[in-house]
Amino acid sequence: MNRLVAVAFRTATTPMRANAGALTSVRFSSSHSAPLTKEDLEHTTGLERAELEAELRGETLFDRNGLKGPFGTRAKPVVVPSTTNFRPVACTGGVGDQEHELLWFNLFAGHKHICPECGQFFQLKQV
């Protein structure tokens, strides 16, 4: 692993060496405890910037809560929104007897995916 990659993956609690350059903190999330400033927007790009702009408008661009709804069937799969053509998804099954351990899989656009544990269907919808 080269030095630049190693520096980029340090967490905020990891002590930094004095010769690590100007990097003093790494921000892994756009959730702020302090109010957003103009400088926050000047230093962000891509999806993070879109998320900050939505936050300033009082909107939520990415809902980090799990999807809730009826059990996905072949005819009516669970629709999973995504800004790309794939997304990692986790399934916990249904309720009661159909509940199972958390099972992760990659969901791709244009294909329905069936959970091998509970038989629930999922389909990606690009937004």
Side-chain angles (χ1 to χ4, degrees):
M1 182 180 282
N2 71 35
R3 183 172 174 220
L4 292 176
V5 172
V7 169
F9 283 103
R10 291 183 185 179
T11 61
T13 58
T14 305
M16 303 283 294
R17 292 193 313 264
N19 64 354
L23 184 65
T24 56
S25 68
V26 177
R27 187 168 130 195
F28 291 102
S29 170
S30 65
S31 58
H32 296 283
S33 56
L36 292 174
T37 65
K38 183 179 176 185
E39 190 174 89
D40 288 331
L41 284 175
E42 290 174 355
H43 295 284
T44 58
T45 60
L47 289 175
E48 183 180 9
R49 183 181 181 105
E51 189 172 19
L52 288 175
E53 289 171 344
E55 190 175 322
L56 286 173
R57 292 189 306 268
E59 300 171 1
T60 302
L61 186 61
F62 300 114
D63 186 5
R64 288 179 173 76
N65 299 322
L67 296 174
K68 295 188 187 319
F71 193 82
T73 63
R74 184 181 299 270
K76 293 186 96 177
V78 175
V79 177
V80 179
S82 178
T83 58
T84 62
N85 63 349
F86 73 96
R87 181 174 172 178
V89 175
C91 179
T92 59
V95 179
D97 295 352
Q98 293 180 330
E99 197 168 323
H100 59 75
E101 293 290 321
L102 194 64
L103 181 65
W104 288 92
F105 52 87
N106 288 318
L107 191 57
F108 294 93
H111 303 283
K112 289 182 183 175
H113 185 87
I114 184 170
C115 175
E117 191 72 28
C118 66
Q120 183 164 207
F121 281 83
F122 296 86
Q123 187 170 13
L124 187 84
K125 178 184 176 187
Q126 286 187 269
V127 291

